[in-house]
Amino acid sequence: MQQLIVSALLASLWTLSTGAGDWCYQSQFSCDHQCNAPEKWDHANSNCGGRQQSPINVVTRKTLKDERLTPFKFQNYQQTFSGTIKNNGHSVQVGVPHLSTISGGGLPDTYKAVQFHLHWGSNGGPGSEHTIDGEQYPMELHIVHMKHQYTDLTTALSDPEGVAVLGIFYERSNSANRKYDHIINALKSIKNTDGNTSLLPISLAQLMPAEQNLTSYYRYKGSLTTPGCTEAVIWTLFEHPVPLSIEQLRAFSELKFHDGKPMVGTFRPVQPLNGRQVYRSGGAMMLASSTLLMLAITTALGFSQSN
């Protein structure tokens, strides 16, 4: 009996030491730091074991065209603001004044921007959370919005459609993207956990793909990609990535987790679809069709030249 009591006490102490909130990425797990890595996030929060979790792998040939996925209406996305950029121990996050909104695009309501943050790999290697046909991009931006009538994210997350997140991929470029200079330069001041600094004026629009590329996107219902993994998110994943140089991508890997280790591999592995359907905008479908057409023409030309 005494042995059972001791075992129970040890188990409860381990639970307290890891803590419901003590979750980590796989890159943080070690013998010295036995935290709840992604496969055990349901220990940190039971929601993480749900059936509509994010991120996912988008299999483009299995997506369905949805005529309701029209172009978005971006309000005040061009407006500059001076925010605070912070190393929150898991990512880089910037709070956004609730002035920028999105509507249209098949969304059930108007949503206002709350914050944005990023997920990345190691030194410019694979690091996006979502993947497209198994391809993992170097980094992924999440612009988090909540329904316009809510005043805080906690309340919005109690609504099954209370949050809308825009996901934007990055690709490696031979030249630096000057639109990201303010963010990249600020990283030097927030290397340690809880470090924060003022961000020189930026707009959400300058973080996005070019306007003509914003009509091609994927849509599905999912969750937050960190604990508590609440399943209240309408996801939009833009097809066209934003270019950054390898030096810009590597700058994020110079940040540090709370234990001083490099902040790398800050992505959750893809989760099962569990029967969910992923939809595709008309723009994305047209783009795919034109790509296939060009491939067919190239193949035909090659065939005719060989005969």
Side-chain angles (χ1 to χ4, degrees), residues 292-307:
L292 290 172
L293 180 62
M294 286 303 296
L295 181 62
I297 292 170
T298 305
T299 305
L301 283 171
F303 179 78
S304 63
Q305 287 171 0
S306 64
N307 286 280

Side-chain angles (χ1 to χ4, degrees), residues 39-60:
E39 71 275 9
K40 291 187 177 179
W41 279 4
D42 58 334
H43 295 185
N45 192 297
S46 59
N47 290 336
C48 299
R51 292 185 57 80
Q52 295 192 53
Q53 289 293 291
S54 297
I56 62 166
N57 174 45
V58 175
V59 181
T60 54

Side-chain angles (χ1 to χ4, degrees), residues 1 19 56 69 89 120 122 128 137 167 199 203 212 214-215 224 239 261 298:
M1 182 66 181
I56 62 166
L69 301 185
W120 59 89
S122 176
S128 67
Y137 290 87
L199 190 63
S203 70
Q212 65 268 24
L214 294 175
T215 58
L224 299 179
E239 192 171 51
K261 291 180 181 176
T298 305

Side-chain angles (χ1 to χ4, degrees), residues 67-103:
E67 298 291 351
R68 294 170 297 180
L69 301 185
T70 54
F72 283 96
K73 295 174 184 173
F74 296 97
Q75 192 76 28
N76 293 327
Y77 253 60
Q78 297 280 358
Q79 186 170 324
T80 58
F81 63 92
S82 299
T84 297
I85 185 168
K86 180 178 181 178
N87 174 344
N88 63 14
H90 301 292
S91 178
V92 167
Q93 184 169 309
V94 176
V96 178
H98 301 174
L99 300 171
S100 305
T101 65
I102 52 171
S103 58

Side-chain angles (χ1 to χ4, degrees), residues 104-129:
L107 295 175
D109 210 328
T110 298
Y111 292 75
K112 56 189 177 185
V114 180
Q115 52 104 327
F116 67 82
H117 61 270
L118 300 110
H119 301 267
W120 59 89
S122 176
N123 291 314
S128 67
E129 295 215 291

Side-chain angles (χ1 to χ4, degrees), residues 219-242:
R219 166 67 48 76
Y220 79 100
K221 294 280 187 70
S223 72
L224 299 179
T225 63
T226 55
C229 306
T230 315
E231 294 177 349
V233 181
I234 300 174
W235 276 98
T236 300
L237 303 173
F238 289 102
E239 192 171 51
H240 293 271
V242 169

Side-chain angles (χ1 to χ4, degrees), residues 155-233:
T155 306
L157 287 167
S158 64
D159 177 341
E161 295 183 328
V163 174
V165 180
L166 303 183
I168 294 146
F169 299 114
Y170 295 86
E171 65 181 355
R172 190 184 299 183
S173 168
N174 291 328
S175 56
N177 185 339
R178 300 273 72 103
K179 293 178 180 178
Y180 274 75
D181 279 352
H182 292 344
I183 291 175
I184 302 298
N185 292 337
L187 297 180
K188 300 166 189 170
S189 303
I190 59 166
K191 286 191 175 181
N192 298 316
T193 295
D194 293 328
N196 67 85
T197 190
S198 297
L199 190 63
L200 290 172
I202 60 166
S203 70
L204 291 177
Q206 74 188 66
L207 306 178
M208 306 276 285
E211 189 176 352
Q212 65 268 24
N213 292 333
L214 294 175
T215 58
S216 306
Y217 58 88
Y218 304 100
R219 166 67 48 76
Y220 79 100
K221 294 280 187 70
S223 72
L224 299 179
T225 63
T226 55
C229 306
T230 315
E231 294 177 349
V233 181

